[in-house]
Amino acid sequence: MLTSVSAFILIFFPGSVMRLLTNDTEIIKMGVIYLIVMGIV
């Protein structure tokens, strides 16, 4: 259950997760791609 919720958040809301961690737009752009891939895997 926890894995499904985590994957859902990473796939559909990666920008929000990255904005919690940093304000740097370049890092957010790179992090969004990474989080989507990690959510799928």
Side-chain angles (χ1 to χ4, degrees):
M1 175 80 178
L2 180 61
T3 304
S4 299
V5 171
S6 297
F8 179 82
I9 291 170
L10 292 178
I11 293 170
F12 293 106
F13 302 106
S16 298
V17 173
M18 286 303 299
R19 280 188 215 96
L20 290 173
L21 302 172
T22 185
N23 292 327
D24 188 348
T25 56
E26 290 300 316
I27 293 176
I28 291 173
K29 288 178 187 175
M30 291 186 292
V32 163
I33 296 168
Y34 178 78
L35 291 179
I36 291 171
V37 169
M38 293 311 295
I40 293 171
V41 172

